[in-house]
Amino acid sequence: MSSRRSRAQSTTGSSRISDDQIIELVSKLHQLLPEINRSNGRRSNKASANKVLQETCNYIKNLHREVDNLSDRLSQLLSTIDADSPEAAIIRTLI
Amino acid sequence: MHGFLPSFYKDRNMNHHVTGFQQLQEDHCSIPDSSRPKRLPTGDEDIMELLWRNGQLVVQRSTKKFGGGGEVEVPAEQLTVKGIRSTAEEQHLFMHEDEMASWLQYPIDDSSFDRDLYSDLMYSAPLPTTPPPPPPPPPPPPPPLQAPVIAIAPPRPLPAQKPEFSPRFQNFVHFSRIPCRQSVEPISKPFATAARESTVVESNETPAVGRESRASLLDFRTQMNTEGGTAAVDARATGAGKLAAGTCEFTVSSSPGGSGSSFSASGKPHLQTRKPTPAEERKRKSREADENECRSEENEDYELGSDTNRQERVFAASSSKRSRAAEVHNLSERRRRDRINEKMKALQQLIPRCNKTDKASMLDEAIEYLKSLQLQVQMMSSMGCGMVPVMYPGMQRFMPGMGMGMDMAMSRPMLPFPSMQLPGSGLPNQATPAAHMGPGFHLPAFHLPPVLPLPDSSRIQAVSSLADTMLNSLVSLDPNQPRMPNFVYPYQQFPGLQQVAQLPLPQNQAAALPSTTKETGNMGNQRSAG
């Protein structure tokens, strides 16, 4: 491990990204992800980078879809209310 | 099906099956009128010469074994029955020196004798692992460019199942050295693609014929060099880039004398794509126990010159046992890393305005973006509740159209506790009903009045004032463990804010954002505490 890190540092002088940093980021990301638990419960401490990344991609796509749906609904809502109302202003900020 | 019968067949004005041949081979090079050795489908591995005698094809055993022994008459019907098949079959069998090109072509159909001769020769390595994508005809004999490779690495012990490997192979080497390249190309063109496709294990991933031939080069090396299990393993690795780059590596090392310009020329661009592999080879030499660290190799800088690769491979050849185990490990490691890299790229594309290339900052961006997306979705989904869209630092650049206004608003220092604090203290209790999307809850009513005194304010300021109100009201709450430790200090309200922001999320949206269940749990504690 030390040799690998020193190798990384020797070859990339400027970018010294430690492995632990990456691991920490991945675990942070893992915490953000919605976990689909199994029926009998599931340990959520395992966070393989591969799975986390995959889940993140899927989750972001889902959220994109949600945002699109909600935007549609909000724009519909906006059309129904008085355009000068503060609610409209709020809604406009969201879309 | 193409074969090439020498034009002298045509000239002889033979019977009908000659014309059958003729159609196929009009553009093929003419073969001198010496005998065409042909192996009959007798399973006999002798080299038989097919000769035209007395208006018929006769088969003559090669002088190798029988010293010009007997002849066997091959009835013409046999050929005609096979028709086109036989022409395809005979092509690769010609051992005549001048017809070097002949055995470069291989029959499309897999007759037994073909397989006896060639499949063992060239196909043993790929066959156990992955069948080639098209229906597997035996691979072609290597193009002449591979001859140096074969010559270089012959001393490796040949696999046991190919007892006749070396003598035959030597023959092929000999023949392959014969320079007949020009004739090879036009003749073998109809076959080359198919041939190489059949040879290459992962040909479906490498559309270029050039790459495929390199991969067949790889296969050869595999057989010649058990150490080249790495090569075989590389050949089977996922990804055309890796395949091509892997083959290019071998061409660099094994054909220093200058394999075809196509190899070396196109090898270079592929070398750059092969970043993980040199590092892996390095590690293979100096195995460490903690190489199995899951993310340890992600940060490696894999830039290596080809010279290092060459040396490493030479070194690898000498320690076969250890490196074979290491190869398997390396392969799995490489696969894992490649998967991870793919996903990182996909993630990068999902994140808007992400111009970072290194892993850590990209993960940072991903985390921020994910949070902002979650928040946004929550805000929008609870928009009917009149919740203010709240943002926290770092998120602003993800919000469309927010621009400078919100930046200014958000960066304003936190107001001292306004008079709104009083109603704010009731906020947590009211937040619970607000958690359900519905008409009658207090939160919007609570927030709207502050907007009224500012009729002319831009909506941004209105929003920001709402936000501040909310923030201030939250200060009274117990700031729970922040979810964003890096944002805590200047904007301490934000962690709590996030919880409030998630409060209005109705329970029925758990499917969309099940993480909010955590938050509601937190809020439950908070409410009980507050």
Side-chain angles (χ1 to χ4, degrees):
Chain A
M1 183 91 142
S2 60
S3 69
R4 210 179 305 112
R5 215 175 264 138
S6 63
R7 220 184 299 145
Q9 288 175 1
S10 63
T11 50
T12 71
S14 56
S15 67
R16 313 230 165 157
I17 306 171
S18 73
D19 297 337
D20 294 338
Q21 197 178 348
I22 298 277
I23 295 174
E24 186 190 338
L25 288 175
V26 171
S27 62
K28 261 203 225 170
L29 200 52
H30 179 61
Q31 288 167 15
L32 286 177
L33 294 176
E35 301 168 28
I36 314 296
N37 296 335
R38 285 191 316 215
S39 59
N40 54 349
R42 181 182 176 87
R43 285 186 298 147
S44 61
N45 52 355
K46 311 182 169 178
S48 87
N50 187 26
K51 197 166 72 144
V52 167
L53 288 177
Q54 180 65 49
E55 296 281 333
T56 303
C57 289
N58 294 340
Y59 189 44
I60 289 183
K61 286 180 196 158
N62 284 340
L63 288 181
H64 281 167
R65 254 186 290 133
E66 283 281 328
V67 166
D68 290 340
N69 288 342
L70 291 172
S71 296
D72 292 341
R73 283 164 56 183
L74 279 178
S75 51
Q76 288 175 10
L77 192 60
L78 191 60
S79 61
T80 64
I81 65 172
D82 191 8
D84 291 332
S85 65
E87 294 95 341
I90 296 175
I91 291 177
R92 270 188 229 108
T93 63
L94 289 176
I95 299 181
Chain B
M1 298 271 189
H2 303 272
F4 54 96
L5 272 183
S7 55
F8 76 89
Y9 283 162
K10 244 190 311 190
D11 299 340
R12 303 266 177 116
N13 193 15
M14 285 305 164
N15 46 9
H16 59 282
H17 67 269
V18 175
T19 60
F21 297 151
Q22 190 174 351
Q23 293 160 8
L24 304 170
Q25 293 127 21
E26 276 170 345
D27 49 348
H28 295 316
C29 72
S30 68
I31 296 171
D33 62 346
S34 61
S35 59
R36 302 286 309 245
K38 171 186 168 69
R39 289 181 69 212
L40 292 178
T42 59
D44 192 353
E45 298 221 352
D46 295 343
I47 294 178
M48 318 283 279
E49 290 186 340
L50 182 68
L51 305 176
W52 277 104
R53 300 248 176 100
N54 305 325
Q56 269 189 343
L57 284 172
V58 300
V59 178
Q60 187 175 20
R61 291 181 185 263
S62 69
T63 57
K64 261 190 164 186
K65 299 213 171 173
F66 292 91
E71 296 179 356
V72 174
E73 265 202 14
V74 178
E77 291 83 345
Q78 188 173 359
L79 293 177
T80 52
V81 165
K82 292 216 177 160
I84 296 174
R85 284 192 66 207
S86 58
T87 60
E89 288 163 4
E90 32 176 80
Q91 289 136 20
H92 72 288
L93 298 171
F94 301 113
M95 308 304 293
H96 197 278
E97 297 191 6
D98 293 344
E99 303 156 6
M100 186 271 308
S102 63
W103 64 274
L104 287 178
Q105 309 186 14
Y106 56 102
I108 301 300
D109 61 327
D110 37 0
S111 45
S112 60
F113 57 93
D114 295 336
R115 186 161 283 153
D116 290 340
L117 181 60
Y118 293 95
S119 62
D120 284 343
L121 197 59
M122 304 166 196
Y123 236 46
S124 64
L127 274 178
T129 56
T130 56
L145 298 173
Q146 294 179 352
V149 176
I150 296 160
I152 286 173
R156 295 288 308 170
L158 300 173
Q161 67 267 23
K162 296 188 279 293
E164 297 178 335
F165 184 88
S166 54
R168 300 268 176 187
F169 204 66
Q170 294 307 318
N171 289 338
F172 298 155
V173 170
H174 169 63
F175 284 123
S176 67
R177 287 188 184 278
I178 297 168
C180 185
R181 293 184 190 184
Q182 288 82 6
S183 57
V184 169
E185 284 311 316
I187 294 170
S188 58
K189 204 181 284 184
F191 284 107
T193 312
R196 287 164 188 155
E197 277 176 350
S198 65
T199 323
V200 174
V201 175
E202 301 281 329
S203 65
N204 51 3
E205 293 172 333
T206 59
V209 172
R211 289 208 206 119
E212 292 164 5
S213 60
R214 280 199 293 280
S216 60
L217 166 70
L218 200 63
D219 288 341
F220 263 103
R221 257 198 76 87
T222 306
Q223 300 168 33
M224 297 312 297
N225 186 357
T226 55
E227 184 49 34
T230 316
V233 156
D234 285 353
R236 285 162 204 120
T238 58
K242 278 191 302 301
L243 176 63
T247 54
C248 102
E249 262 200 9
F250 286 110
T251 53
V252 165
S253 70
S254 60
S255 311
S259 48
S261 61
S262 64
F263 281 104
S264 50
S266 50
K268 279 166 192 141
H270 294 302
L271 204 60
Q272 299 155 10
T273 66
R274 241 194 122 226
K275 291 187 180 181
T277 315
E280 280 191 304
E281 302 217 36
R282 250 183 314 161
K283 276 177 251 165
R284 182 164 47 125
K285 306 308 174 291
S286 58
R287 295 265 299 160
E288 292 176 359
D290 52 358
E291 273 185 357
N292 299 327
E293 186 69 30
C294 65
R295 291 170 197 86
S296 47
E297 295 95 57
E298 281 182 347
N299 305 329
E300 292 284 38
D301 189 332
Y302 299 127
E303 320 270 359
L304 270 190
S306 59
D307 293 336
T308 322
N309 299 340
R310 212 173 299 145
Q311 295 163 11
E312 286 171 353
R313 240 196 322 288
V314 167
F315 175 76
S318 56
S319 60
S320 60
K321 281 182 214 155
R322 180 174 65 90
S323 37
R324 224 174 291 138
E327 283 157 22
V328 173
H329 171 74
N330 279 345
L331 174 67
S332 56
E333 276 299 316
R334 189 182 315 142
R335 279 202 197 123
R336 189 188 67 87
R337 253 195 305 226
D338 290 337
R339 277 197 296 255
I340 289 181
N341 285 339
E342 280 174 31
K343 298 202 165 70
M344 292 286 286
K345 280 183 219 152
L347 192 59
Q348 188 178 18
Q349 288 169 7
L350 279 179
I351 297 177
R353 298 184 286 273
C354 177
N355 52 355
K356 309 262 189 321
T357 51
D358 59 312
K359 287 195 166 76
S361 54
M362 246 189 61
L363 286 176
D364 260 333
E365 293 260 326
I367 289 173
E368 288 177 27
Y369 182 56
L370 194 55
K371 286 183 192 163
S372 70
L373 260 190
Q374 282 177 341
L375 216 52
Q376 184 182 9
V377 168
Q378 290 165 13
M379 289 304 123
M380 295 174 79
S381 66
S382 63
M383 201 41 229
C385 319
M387 272 303 296
V388 64
V390 182
M391 295 186 302
Y392 53 91
M395 206 181 83
Q396 290 139 10
R397 59 190 213 87
F398 294 124
M399 299 298 263
M402 284 304 176
M404 48 179 198
M406 286 311 268
D407 284 339
M408 296 188 316
M410 283 300 135
S411 57
R412 274 198 292 160
M414 195 186 75
L415 296 179
F417 300 147
S419 58
M420 295 300 176
Q421 186 59 34
L422 283 177
S425 58
L427 181 61
N429 295 330
Q430 295 170 355
T432 313
H436 307 282
M437 247 212 289
F441 56 89
H442 310 280
L443 206 53
F446 167 66
H447 283 287
L448 290 179
V451 183
L452 295 177
L454 309 164
D456 300 336
S457 65
S458 67
R459 67 166 187 239
I460 293 172
Q461 286 182 5
V463 172
S464 66
S465 66
L466 284 173
D468 284 345
T469 308
M470 276 196 58
L471 302 182
N472 298 335
S473 63
L474 282 173
V475 171
S476 64
L477 301 176
D478 175 27
N480 294 9
Q481 55 280 9
R483 293 182 71 209
M484 304 166 287
N486 39 345
F487 293 124
V488 142
Y489 301 105
Y491 300 93
Q492 195 171 13
Q493 67 278 14
F494 285 115
L497 179 68
Q498 194 169 14
Q499 293 178 356
V500 171
Q502 291 173 348
L503 266 183
L505 191 69
Q507 300 295 329
N508 55 10
Q509 282 209 345
L513 290 166
S515 61
T516 58
T517 56
K518 291 187 270 187
E519 293 308 310
T520 51
N522 284 341
M523 281 312 300
N525 297 337
Q526 197 176 5
R527 266 175 285 134
S528 61

